Amino acid sequence: CRVSDSSDSVISSGSESAEGQAVYKVVLLGEHGVGKSSLARIFGGVEEAHDAEEAGNTYDRSVMVDEEEASILLYDVWEQDNSPWLKEQCMKMGDAYIIVYSVTDKSSFEKASELRIQLRRARQSENIPIILVGNKSDLVRSREVSKDEGSACAVVFDCKFIETSASLHHNVLDLFQGIVRQIRLRRDTKEE
Ligand code: GDP
Ligand code: MG
């Protein structure tokens, strides 16, 4: 199982960190060019885009959300290769998903709906947290998808919605905090 050179161990290491704390696997989905890797690099704290075209990366980071630490493994591997096997693994392995489109690209928005449907099919009985992300909100003049269309789509697909700009770092932290809150919400209701 090779998702990326540096992450073999990570993938097979189960879902607990050294401290016994839960590690949440979060998977980025979305069409090429929408900004998945840009968002992932901001999250991972490695912003120099020297390896911008590198196909697959995972980022391991702890974040404080509501005064509780959360460990996240963020997978930016959706485009790593075109094998149906990898795509299937992506659909199976996430504890949560971030489906990204670009607000400047209508077809990436349509693709996001397709991905949501695929995900629902792959994880039928599970109530997995999903956040729909409209990225590139800074590109005001080339916008093709309005904020209202984005949030309406999220309502239909029963997921959260946020617009981000990786370029301006706008809402990026909120996105990752949001995903942690979503995971905790499901976890807490399961325990009851
Ligand atoms: P990926 O293919 O989904 O991983 O997308 P990338 O992160 O590689 O980004 C594709 C291109 O869009 C790059 O040239 C990025 O610099 C650019 N990009 C990503 N996010 C934004 C954003 O929020 N605003 C603008 N203006 N450009 C962005
Ligand atoms: Mg990428």
Side-chain angles (χ1 to χ4, degrees):
C1 169
R2 293 182 76 79
V3 167
S4 87
D5 284 333
S6 57
S7 65
D8 286 351
S9 57
V10 149
I11 279 200
S12 54
S13 68
S15 55
E16 281 203 356
S17 71
E19 301 80 38
Q21 180 193 17
V23 176
Y24 302 130
K25 294 183 191 139
V26 178
V27 180
L28 282 159
L29 304 177
E31 206 164 74
H32 179 70
V34 297
K36 298 182 297 301
S37 299
S38 304
L39 292 168
R41 279 195 301 270
I42 294 172
F43 173 78
V46 280
E47 285 189 58
E48 298 77 46
H50 50 83
D51 59 349
E53 289 305 309
E54 198 172 301
N57 265 314
T58 56
Y59 300 86
D60 185 351
R61 202 185 137 183
S62 289
V63 287
M64 282 297 273
V65 182
D66 305 325
E67 286 153 30
E68 192 187 334
E69 198 174 22
S71 292
I72 292 185
L73 259 178
L74 181 66
Y75 290 84
D76 178 27
V77 299
W78 181 243
E79 293 186 83
Q80 184 174 329
D81 60 40
N82 278 319
S83 79
W85 180 87
L86 178 70
K87 301 263 186 271
E88 211 184 300
Q89 288 307 306
C90 282
M91 290 295 183
K92 275 185 195 162
M93 73 184 178
D95 296 313
Y97 290 84
I98 297 174
I99 301 181
V100 188
Y101 66 91
S102 165
V103 301
T104 65
D105 178 0
K106 192 94 186 183
S107 77
S108 74
F109 180 59
E110 281 152 14
K111 180 71 186 179
S113 301
E114 261 174 57
L115 288 166
R116 175 69 186 91
I117 291 165
Q118 267 177 264
L119 198 53
R120 181 183 285 167
R121 217 174 273 146
R123 307 287 289 270
Q124 276 177 11
S125 57
E126 295 165 78
N127 186 15
I128 342 159
I130 297 170
I131 298 193
L132 180 67
V133 177
N135 188 44
K136 307 198 188 183
S137 63
D138 57 292
L139 297 177
V140 178
R141 286 196 293 182
S142 40
R143 189 186 269 272
E144 291 182 0
V145 184
S146 73
K147 196 169 180 176
D148 285 349
E149 285 175 278
S151 61
C153 180
V155 170
V156 170
F157 285 111
D158 188 26
C159 55
K160 292 279 169 189
F161 173 68
I162 192 168
E163 279 197 351
T164 58
S165 165
S167 298
L168 301 180
H169 285 210
H170 182 245
N171 271 352
V172 177
L173 197 64
D174 295 59
L175 164 62
F176 290 101
Q177 291 182 335
I179 206 92
V180 169
R181 290 198 182 103
Q182 283 305 299
I183 295 169
R184 284 183 184 158
L185 216 78
R186 320 266 159 144
R187 177 198 65 187
D188 294 346
T189 48
K190 249 185 222 166
E191 280 169 4
E192 273 162 25

